[in-house]
Amino acid sequence: MLTDLPNVLTLSRIVAIPIVVGFAAWGTPQADALACLLFILAGITDYFDGKLARSRHQLSDFGRMFDSIADKLLVGACLMVLAGFLRLPYLSLWPAIIILCREILVSGMREYLAERRASLPVTRLAKWKTGFQMTAIGFLLAGDGTGALLGIPWLPVALIGAILLWIAGVLTMITGWDYLTKGLQHVDL
């Protein structure tokens, strides 16, 4: 089961985390570009692991559990390294905090609801949120130095990342509220 391709892809995201964080912490334009590239590749594996698991009939409890964990670890580690090295410009630390808090909230609710045999299915808006969030983190990891490295120094890479993170933050609040209200319907108050 661990050697099934979908599970290998999921595990590769977890293995990529310290490498992405290390490149981001290094802080050179070349390292930033590598952090961004590896983050993009990890994001692509998130798309393909589930698709392959379904098409190959290799769905597993391991995959269902670790897919979500790998995503949260990757996003959380990247947001923390960006915050720790002061690479969240334009007050984008705030949407980063909102995103991390929502991830913890939804994870906790899903764990509780699983015990009650209830679930919180992923909504279309939550998928859009994830798209904006992942794109924003990619831009923020790349930073303006990568734009200069690629010969496009006029492109405000960090600003684009910050704007996208703010959009993700707003979508995070909307979807977080939606999940919270749906989750509370299963709680005896």
Side-chain angles (χ1 to χ4, degrees):
M1 179 186 314
L2 282 178
T3 58
D4 290 347
L5 182 57
N7 290 336
V8 169
L9 291 175
T10 298
L11 289 171
S12 73
R13 281 202 307 286
I14 295 172
V15 170
I17 293 168
I19 302 167
V20 172
V21 167
F23 281 138
W26 197 338
T28 66
Q30 296 83 356
D32 291 346
L34 289 171
C36 175
L37 180 62
L38 190 54
F39 180 80
I40 290 168
L41 292 173
I44 291 169
T45 69
D46 184 30
Y47 172 76
F48 281 111
D49 62 1
K51 188 176 180 86
L52 286 170
R54 286 185 293 278
S55 70
R56 293 174 168 213
H57 305 288
Q58 293 179 328
L59 296 170
S60 67
D61 289 337
F62 178 88
R64 276 188 285 278
M65 180 176 71
F66 273 94
D67 179 56
S68 176
I69 291 170
D71 298 342
K72 288 167 182 32
L73 289 173
L74 180 65
V75 167
C78 287
L79 289 175
M80 285 190 283
V81 76
L82 289 166
F85 286 92
L86 305 177
R87 294 179 51 191
L88 290 173
Y90 308 102
L91 301 174
S92 58
L93 176 63
W94 294 107
I97 291 169
I98 290 166
I99 288 166
L100 289 173
C101 287
R102 180 236 187 232
E103 293 302 333
I104 294 167
L105 172 73
V106 171
S107 293
M109 286 191 331
R110 282 198 169 121
E111 181 179 336
Y112 171 79
L113 292 174
E115 293 174 7
R116 302 197 64 150
R117 305 263 192 251
S119 66
L120 287 176
V122 177
T123 64
R124 182 176 299 277
L125 188 59
K127 290 182 180 189
W128 276 96
K129 185 265 319 172
T130 300
F132 275 101
Q133 173 182 287
M134 300 301 267
T135 306
I137 293 170
F139 271 88
L140 290 166
L141 287 169
D144 292 331
T146 299
L149 182 69
L150 296 175
I152 47 174
W154 48 266
L155 186 67
V157 177
L159 174 61
I160 293 168
I163 290 168
L164 292 171
L165 197 64
W166 273 102
I167 293 169
V170 169
L171 295 175
T172 296
M173 291 190 330
I174 294 167
T175 60
W177 179 256
D178 183 45
Y179 283 138
L180 180 63
T181 56
K182 287 179 181 171
L184 287 176
Q185 293 172 2
H186 300 280
V187 175
D188 299 324
L189 298 176

